[in-house]
Structures are given as C-alpha cells and as structure tokens.
Amino acid sequence: MTTDQTSPATGVKPLRADARRNRARLLEVAEAVFTERGTGASTEEIAREAKVGIATVFRHFPTKEALLEAVLVRRLERLAEEGRRLMAETGPTYALFAFFDLVLDQSPVKNAFAAALADAGVDVRAATSEAGRALGEVLTVLLDGAQQAGVVRRDLGVPELTAILVGTCRMLEHLDGHPESAKRARAVVRDGLKARTGSPEEPLPQGGAPS
Amino acid sequence: MTTDQTSPATGVKPLRADARRNRARLLEVAEAVFTERGTGASTEEIAREAKVGIATVFRHFPTKEALLEAVLVRRLERLAEEGRRLMAETGPTYALFAFFDLVLDQSPVKNAFAAALADAGVDVRAATSEAGRALGEVLTVLLDGAQQAGVVRRDLGVPELTAILVGTCRMLEHLDGHPESAKRARAVVRDGLKARTGSPEEPLPQGGAPS
DNA sequence: GACGATACGGATAGATGACTCCGTTTGTCC
DNA sequence: GGACAAACGGAGTCATCTATCCGTATCGTC
C-alpha cells in the first residue's frame, strides 16, 4: 500500500510487463532462499529457483548487496504495515504485545535472515533508513500506547525495544523445536517489559563479583 | 585446567616445541580474527596475522571448520572455568547474575562470533558437545543456586537460560555505542529473570489480536 | 655437531561465486 | 502484423577461497 513493490521507485521508468513480473518473483524467491540458506546463498541459486537467467537478476539488482537490501526493505515495509493494522484493530494496550507475538511467531529462520543481513557487513543501514524510519514511527506509536496504558515500563524507547525484539528472535532460534522452552523464555522477556509494580529499584546485583 | 589447550587431545602425540607454539598462537589469532571479521575471514588472513604459512594452519586444523570448532571449544571451556570461579567466590545468590554480566560485558563482537558460528552451518554441535556439556553443568549449578536463593523464577531450565543469554548478547550488539540504552535493555532481561513477586499469572495478553 | 624426523612456507591446483557480453526473444505501439 | 526497443539467457571472465605438494628449515637426540 505504501509503496508499490513492483515498481523500482516512484517512477522515472515505466518498466515492461514481463520485467515487472520477474522482478516481483525474484524478490519473493530471494527472500525465501536467503531465509533458508542464509545470505551466503548464491545468486545463481536464486536465479534458478526463480526460473530466470543470472543476467536477469543482475539487471534488476546491480549487485547482490542491492538485492539483499531490497528484500530487507520489503520486509520492513510489511512489518510497519502489520504494526499499523494491529494498532487500529487491537488497541493501544495490547497492540505492542500482539506485534511482538506476530514477529516472534514467524519461523525462526525468517527472523534469522534479518539479523544475518547485519553481519553481511552490508551498508544496509543507509538504504534501509527510509523503510526503517517508517517502521520506527509505527513502533513509537505502539510503545507510547502501551506505556500510556501502563503495561510497559516507561524507561524504554524505540531503540531499546528494537534491540529487545531482535535479541528475542535470536533467543528463540536457539529453542527451535522446543515449544515449551520457547514459551517460558518468551515469558521472561514479556515480564521484563512490563511496568514494574513493586519497588522501582530492587536490590539485585548490578556489577560483577566483588573483586 | 580442564584440558591442556596446547595439546590436541589427551595425547597420542608429543608434538614438537615450535609446533605447540604455533598451534597456540593460531588459536589466539583465529579467535581474534573471527570475532573481528566474522567467520567468513579467510584462513590466509589468519595465517598472515599469526606469521605462519597457510600450510601450517591446515596441518594443525585439517579444515577451516575444524579451526572454527577448536576456537569455539576453547571459548566454552574458558566460560565454564569462569562460571566455576564465580560460584566459589560470589556465592549462589549473585553468581548467576555475575556470570551474565561477565559474558555480556565482553565486547559485542566477541559474543557475536559465537552466534556467527551457528549460521556457518558448522556441525559444531557434535564436536562442541563435550565442552558444551561441561558449561551446561556449570550453568546448572549457577541456576540452581539462584533459584534456591529465590532470585530467579523457577520455571526456567538451562536450555532457556542459554538461549536467553545468547539472545541478550545479540540484543546488546544492536545497542553498541549507546551504553544508556544497553543498560536499560539489560534491566529488562534481568527483571524478567527474577522470581515473580506479584500474582503468578498476570492478565497480560498471550495470543495475537482477536481475529 | 650430525642425523633423522618433524614441521614449515609458499606456489599451485581446483572449486565456487559475483558480475559481464552479446546474440536471441518478447512485449509494445502504430 | 511489422518494427523497434526493452528484456532475456547463458556462456564466459575475473577474483577469491580452501586445501595440497614438495623442497627447505628447525627440533630433538646421541
């Protein structure tokens, strides 16, 4: 809805029909392949799976990195979309947690890929910033709502929230195939996010051992 | 202490003096390089940095995967060691948290590498199992102590704990350079780990949105 | 210090992956 | 339905990485 995924950008180019089809299919297939085999998957494999020649891949995405980027942006856009939907449908008290659950319920590999992008050393940050900012705005709304409703501690901002979400994804990867453990581990994070009801500063150890 | 790191295993081979030196240096350098540049770093680079020929690397570690494995095992052994030390010096109430802090205080890259190994597709699991089991035992003791002391919720086991630790590492990577945010995010996890003082089942949403 | 064995270094083989060139096909517009 | 531009396919190039071979240097022992 936000940006037409089949056209490269707010258009300087009309792009032919088959080209549009191929581009869309490539994005689809690339996401699947990258999530399954990791970012190390070869462009040739993606081309084969998408039933196009290698040249076609590079025609649409001048470099492998660009393809990676495009896939990531697409995913971020979808997430922002879902966040907005949840906010509207679910209301401020539950929307943030619903969003967390939605992300975490996706297969671990699906989330793994997002993280895998980071260590690809890709300059994703720059190109992602636009989509990332949109998602950031959605998260801001979700977080604000939850904090206003008193269900999330107030010392958290969007950066912390994002990091916690990513970390939790990685956490669940390690518990794949053990749903009971995963449920308990998720409860830990969820409880940690909740507004502290007891004393604001508890006497638990912060530093390391007394040296 | 547990296993002499300079000898390949409980010894069938006496191994010459220079060979022992080189092997140790290789492990040292490999850990540094892998943590900095990721597991994609070339063996040639490691050889150069360690001031040995490439052949020497492959003589000691028949395959790159074997080198990766050895580095990981070494790290796990050291962690187990530190865990034992903390248990003895710090006591059951604080030892687990101290261990968490110790791991998390290491530079993010240092922790990143452990996770990076996983997606290298390496059959690390098998070869790691021995060192992993040792660390697992230490964690069992730490967790038991903390639970007995009433500072950690009782529905957690070692698998959950391990996953949470790994996930928190990844979380902190994303907050590198923002110590204040990192502190707050860590507090979320720590509070989540604590024994629940209030009602055992809080009325917070579990599932997604009401569809 | 000399000899045998062990370990070393660097050049090289073999594999793989990103990216390009160019002849052929396909969509679009009249 | 014909002409022209746009897009396609896949063989080929270039770089890089893992792993090996073999002549040389070093260690350990007498």
Side-chain angles (χ1 to χ4, degrees), chain A residues 94-172:
Chain A
Y94 300 101
L96 180 62
F97 289 95
F99 184 76
F100 255 67
D101 283 337
L102 182 142
V103 173
L104 297 178
D105 282 337
Q106 311 206 0
S107 74
V109 273
K110 197 143 197 170
N111 291 316
F113 129 94
L117 283 183
D119 61 36
V122 185
D123 189 18
V124 169
R125 304 277 148 159
T128 295
S129 57
E130 201 170 349
R133 186 147 18 92
L135 180 56
E137 282 168 23
V138 173
L139 283 176
T140 303
V141 175
L142 288 173
L143 179 58
D144 268 14
Q147 284 173 333
Q148 299 285 347
V151 293
V152 165
R153 55 200 292 167
R154 299 192 101 92
D155 62 344
L156 297 179
V158 171
E160 290 88 345
L161 195 68
T162 309
I164 290 170
L165 185 53
V166 172
T168 308
C169 286
R170 302 298 270 187
M171 175 186 93
L172 291 182

Side-chain angles (χ1 to χ4, degrees), chain B residues 7-32:
Chain B
S7 63
T10 305
V12 275
K13 284 181 186 177
L15 211 52
R16 224 167 72 177
D18 52 347
R20 212 162 29 239
R21 262 199 312 273
N22 281 337
R23 190 174 195 282
R25 185 140 36 91
L26 271 174
L27 280 173
E28 207 76 41
V29 168
E31 177 162 352

Side-chain angles (χ1 to χ4, degrees), chain B residues 30-196:
Chain B
E31 177 162 352
V33 171
F34 282 143
T35 51
E36 272 174 48
R37 319 252 204 288
T39 55
S42 71
T43 40
E44 193 166 358
E45 180 166 359
I46 291 168
R48 200 182 327 120
E49 201 108 353
K51 294 179 203 296
V52 297
I54 318 162
T56 298
V57 181
F58 284 98
R59 197 170 303 113
H60 285 291
F61 308 96
T63 201
K64 186 186 177 180
E65 184 174 318
L67 175 58
L68 241 15
E69 225 174 77
V71 171
L72 179 56
V73 166
R74 214 172 80 103
R75 178 138 206 271
L76 292 181
E77 283 174 354
R78 271 199 320 249
L79 285 181
E81 185 80 20
E82 307 238 46
R84 278 188 287 267
R85 185 177 58 78
L86 284 176
M87 191 63 189
E89 291 181 4
T90 316
T93 306
Y94 300 100
L96 180 63
F97 290 95
F99 183 76
F100 255 67
D101 283 337
L102 184 142
V103 173
L104 297 179
D105 282 337
Q106 311 206 2
S107 74
V109 272
K110 197 143 197 169
N111 291 317
F113 128 95
L117 282 182
D119 61 37
V122 185
D123 190 17
V124 169
R125 303 277 149 159
T128 295
S129 59
E130 200 171 349
R133 185 147 18 92
L135 181 55
E137 282 170 24
V138 172
L139 284 175
T140 304
V141 175
L142 289 173
L143 179 57
D144 269 13
Q147 284 173 334
Q148 299 285 347
V151 294
V152 165
R153 54 201 289 168
R154 299 193 102 91
D155 62 344
L156 296 179
V158 170
E160 291 89 343
L161 196 68
T162 309
I164 290 170
L165 185 52
V166 172
T168 307
C169 286
R170 303 297 272 187
M171 175 186 92
L172 292 182
E173 276 175 59
H174 283 255
L175 294 174
D176 197 21
H178 302 271
E180 283 306 313
S181 291
K183 186 182 275 186
R184 282 193 284 269
R186 272 162 84 147
V188 168
V189 176
R190 185 167 38 234
D191 290 354
L193 284 172
K194 289 194 315 200
R196 316 203 223 182

